Amino acid sequence: MPAHGQGGWLLAPADEDERGQAELGYRLLPDFWRQGLASEGAAALLAYGFDDLGLTQIFAEAMTVNAGSRAVMSRICLTYLGTRGEGTSGPITGSGQGMVDYALTNDRWAALVEYPALRWCGVR
């Protein structure tokens, strides 16, 4: 049966958080991995969140063992903040190693946009 779609992206502002933050998320079907789609979609949401919504920070998380998502977060200039807790073991090998947190502030976003030499991470 053919897949109907490739996955999705999410920018979810924290309703009760008056600091102007939102969580970035993405999930793609394996057939669409390693094609730049996660990075491209996530970068578009960063632009929307900072430029259109005026967010102060966008954050994301992934399982520590999820090298693909960690690479996407680095590629779109999110900064690694740390690893938290041990997760619960599940069907994914290494899922008990916890979660990693990444974030990008509006100030850093503005610097990336203003100074082309800082666009090393390929956001724009």
Side-chain angles (χ1 to χ4, degrees), residues 1-119:
M1 176 181 235
H4 298 284
Q6 59 194 25
W9 294 261
L10 167 77
L11 184 65
D15 291 333
E16 292 101 36
D17 186 346
E18 296 177 10
R19 295 173 293 181
Q21 299 184 79
E23 181 174 9
L24 171 69
Y26 44 86
R27 181 165 293 183
L28 296 176
L29 297 172
D31 287 349
F32 298 97
W33 292 357
R34 303 195 57 78
Q35 298 178 36
L37 298 173
S39 297
E40 187 176 333
L45 285 178
L46 290 177
Y48 175 70
F50 289 126
D51 298 342
D52 296 334
L53 299 180
L55 295 173
T56 60
Q57 178 173 272
I58 296 176
F59 59 93
E61 66 179 14
M63 288 192 309
T64 301
V65 297
N66 190 337
S69 281
R70 294 182 73 171
V72 168
M73 290 186 277
S74 292
R75 194 173 303 116
I76 62 170
C77 296
L78 273 66
T79 301
Y80 170 73
L81 301 176
T83 302
R84 61 185 153 85
E86 291 194 19
T88 54
S89 293
I92 298 172
T93 303
S95 61
Q97 296 178 18
M99 302 291 284
V100 290
D101 295 310
Y102 286 75
L104 180 64
T105 64
N106 190 305
D107 290 341
R108 184 155 184 249
W109 171 261
L112 292 166
V113 172
E114 185 173 347
Y115 300 103
L118 296 177
R119 295 184 198 166

